[in-house]
Amino acid sequence: SFFCLFLGVCGDEFSVLRSPQSVVFRDGSWPIPGERIPDVAALSMGFSVEDDLSWPGLAVGDLFHRPRATVLVTVKGVDKLALPVKGISYPIENAVPFSLDSVANAIHTLFSEETPVVLQLAPSEERVYMVGKANSVFEDLSVTLRQLRNRLFQDNSILSSLPLNSLSRNNEVDLLFLSELQVLHDIASLLSRHKHLAKDHSPDLYSLELAGLEEVGKRYGEDSQQFKDASQILVDSLQKFADEMFNLYSGNAVVEVVAVKTFNSPLTRKTRSILQSSQSDTENPYNLAYPYNYNYSVIFNIILWMMIGLALAVIVISYNLWNMDPGYDSIIYRMTNQKIRMD
């Protein structure tokens, strides 16, 4: 498995919290283009990219020992998080919406037979995409708004241990923010029950998008005590989540954070309030092509060579029939001639 934890949003700051020795990030203030963040994830996992990335922040590292997983968490509504000083941060230029679909497709292509864990989740939008072993590992994960709310009020939820401070259990915006933190806790908890998946040879991918803090800022204002408390709670939860996932993969993980205030995109993007209830298409939320089946090449070769063999057989049989001597080669004519002679 391959693990690189990205806490991220297309935005103003890209931070690396943890990384193994095989992945080297240089300390510097080099800006990273927002649209190239997926390429950074791919290169750190050892995959190739279409366009060369001339960003000096990521060094070559150890080509023979790559991380076992990649996790990207996108945090909306804030341009900078008060992350630990020990991390490395880079400014982001041209913060445009991005996704890790290209990385997921690379994993599907190269490791289709090993069914790696691929989880892409946006709780506030009820958008989820699970492939491979993720379907069995995270089948109990809350993904809809109703499931998230019910999960918070269970006995083993984070509400029993998390200091809410100025946040309220009775406000929908606060509960949705807390439910995203509950998702982080549940992912690490469910994965800890399947630790063998973190030790296989296929890379794993986790892409999470959090919008709860943005909604808290809209509801109370960014100068409010609620927003300050929510920001601190989020930082603590992200750090705990990063440490847990990092340890589950035996330290072979890259932990990164991307924080963005707003997306800079000329395109019109479909948006809605996270409190708005609507049905969502969870079967194919990213409009991906039909998944590649590793039996395709086998079936293709069987049909191809069978058709070639039949075509050659028809040609050979037709040629021999065309050049056949009826009086010598055909048993029908020979038997007829014998009967005539006997008469």
Side-chain angles (χ1 to χ4, degrees):
S1 298
F2 174 88
F3 182 80
C4 170
L5 175 62
F6 282 93
L7 303 171
V9 179
C10 261
D12 301 321
E13 192 171 62
F14 176 82
S15 303
V16 181
L17 297 184
R18 304 284 291 273
S19 63
Q21 295 180 353
S22 59
V23 180
V24 180
F25 286 92
R26 296 191 179 100
D27 191 359
S29 57
W30 301 288
I32 176 174
E35 67 274 9
R36 301 306 301 273
I37 291 178
D39 291 340
V40 174
L43 290 172
S44 64
M45 297 177 73
F47 299 142
S48 60
V49 295
E50 293 184 1
D51 301 326
D52 292 337
L53 179 64
S54 58
W55 181 61
L58 179 62
V60 176
D62 189 348
L63 298 178
F64 300 99
H65 298 87
R66 308 312 301 169
R68 290 179 178 171
T70 296
V71 178
L72 171 68
V73 181
T74 301
V75 181
K76 297 180 179 179
V78 61
D79 55 4
K80 186 175 182 179
L81 292 170
L83 297 170
V85 181
K86 61 182 180 180
I88 303 175
S89 298
Y90 307 95
I92 297 178
E93 61 181 7
N94 189 27
V96 296
F98 67 89
S99 73
L100 297 187
D101 291 348
S102 59
V103 184
N105 291 334
I107 294 176
H108 292 162
T109 303
L110 298 175
F111 299 92
S112 58
E113 296 183 2
E114 301 181 36
T115 59
V117 175
V118 176
L119 172 64
Q120 295 176 292
L121 180 65
S124 61
E125 299 180 8
E126 297 185 335
R127 176 159 44 91
V128 60
Y129 179 71
M130 291 187 286
V131 176
K133 297 177 182 177
N135 287 301
S136 58
V137 176
F138 302 111
E139 60 182 352
D140 297 328
L141 189 66
S142 300
V143 293
T144 66
L145 296 177
R146 176 174 294 182
Q147 290 174 343
L148 293 170
R149 181 184 176 89
N150 294 336
R151 177 69 182 91
L152 272 179
F153 290 97
Q154 295 178 1
D155 295 335
N156 59 344
S157 74
I158 60 173
L159 290 182
S160 59
S161 58
L162 197 66
L164 301 182
N165 297 329
S166 60
L167 300 180
S168 172
R169 294 173 177 236
N170 301 319
N171 189 287
E172 289 295 329
V173 172
D174 297 7
L175 289 176
L176 282 168
F177 166 75
L178 295 170
S179 67
E180 293 183 341
L181 306 185
Q182 182 67 57
V183 170
L184 297 180
H185 175 271
D186 289 345
I187 289 175
S189 177
L190 291 172
L191 186 61
S192 65
R193 303 176 191 174
H194 302 81
K195 293 182 180 179
H196 62 282
L197 297 179
K199 299 179 181 179
D200 57 23
H201 299 290
S202 59
D204 298 336
L205 179 66
Y206 303 83
S207 177
L208 310 174
E209 186 175 304
L210 307 182
L213 185 62
E214 182 181 29
E215 294 297 321
V216 171
K218 292 179 180 178
R219 173 67 174 82
Y220 299 106
E222 296 183 7
D223 296 329
S224 64
Q225 187 61 41
Q226 288 89 342
F227 185 79
K228 295 178 182 177
D229 290 343
S231 299
Q232 186 58 50
I233 293 174
L234 177 61
V235 168
D236 295 340
S237 299
L238 290 176
Q239 185 63 57
K240 181 180 179 182
F241 175 67
D243 292 340
E244 289 176 346
M245 298 293 282
F246 188 80
N247 293 331
L248 284 171
Y249 283 90
S250 302
N252 196 5
V254 179
V255 181
E256 301 171 328
V257 177
V258 180
V260 63
K261 181 68 174 178
T262 56
F263 287 108
N264 301 326
S265 176
L267 302 176
T268 301
R269 302 177 71 243
K270 182 179 179 182
T271 60
R272 69 177 179 90
S273 171
I274 63 174
L275 299 179
Q276 176 184 354
S277 62
S278 64
Q279 293 183 349
S280 60
D281 183 10
T282 59
E283 295 182 358
N284 191 7
Y286 297 105
N287 195 27
L288 297 177
Y290 188 79
Y292 176 83
N293 192 325
Y294 63 89
N295 288 323
Y296 172 82
S297 60
V298 178
I299 298 174
F300 176 81
N301 276 276
I302 292 175
I303 296 176
L304 173 65
W305 294 109
M306 183 180 293
M307 296 300 296
I308 293 176
L310 289 175
L312 292 175
V314 170
I315 293 173
V316 171
I317 293 172
S318 300
Y319 177 82
N320 284 279
L321 287 175
W322 184 265
N323 295 280
M324 182 178 66
D325 183 359
Y328 180 77
D329 295 329
S330 175
I331 188 174
I332 298 175
Y333 280 93
R334 281 187 291 178
M335 291 184 66
T336 303
N337 290 337
Q338 270 188 340
K339 187 176 180 181
I340 293 174
R341 291 169 185 166
M342 288 176 64
D343 291 342

